[in-house]
Amino acid sequence: MSRDKNYQRLLNSKRWRQLRAWKLERNPICELCEAEGKVSAAVDVHHIDPIEGSMSLQEMEARCFNPNNLPDYASYLAHECPQCKAGVKLD
């Protein structure tokens, strides 16, 4: 996790926790596993465009709270995840 205080503040915010919960409720299946024809519960939400790469707090907030910047993963490295390895194939 980044040591940047703004980054930490954003990820500890009520707004982030609510968006994260909404994303996991809306998409309960790991998107990486699903693309491979497997079914695993999504337990983590990460950003496609990393927040830390932002040049300003405003840009950081825009990336953090953009629902289109949030894939669902069974783990940070889904292919290393036991859930993903044991995932059930889709028909």
Side-chain angles (χ1 to χ4, degrees), residues 49-68:
D49 291 326
I51 298 169
E52 302 94 321
S54 303
M55 300 300 284
S56 68
L57 178 58
Q58 184 177 5
E59 184 182 356
M60 194 177 268
E61 288 175 344
R63 287 183 184 187
C64 184
F65 301 123
N66 178 357
N68 296 319

Side-chain angles (χ1 to χ4, degrees), residues 29-31 33 40-44 72-76 78 81 83-84:
I29 303 299
C30 172
E31 292 176 5
C33 292
S40 294
V43 294
D44 287 335
D72 308 312
Y73 296 141
S75 75
Y76 185 70
C81 175
Q83 283 183 310
C84 295

Side-chain angles (χ1 to χ4, degrees), residues 1-2 4-18 20 45-47 51-52 60 63-65 70:
M1 179 179 259
S2 175
D4 183 285
K5 291 183 193 271
N6 289 322
Y7 175 83
Q8 291 176 0
R9 183 182 57 79
L10 291 172
L11 290 188
N12 288 315
S13 70
K14 181 179 180 181
R15 185 176 175 193
W16 168 249
R17 289 191 309 271
Q18 289 174 332
R20 182 184 181 282
V45 177
H46 295 276
H47 294 86
I51 298 169
E52 302 94 321
M60 194 177 268
R63 287 183 184 187
C64 184
F65 301 123
L70 305 175

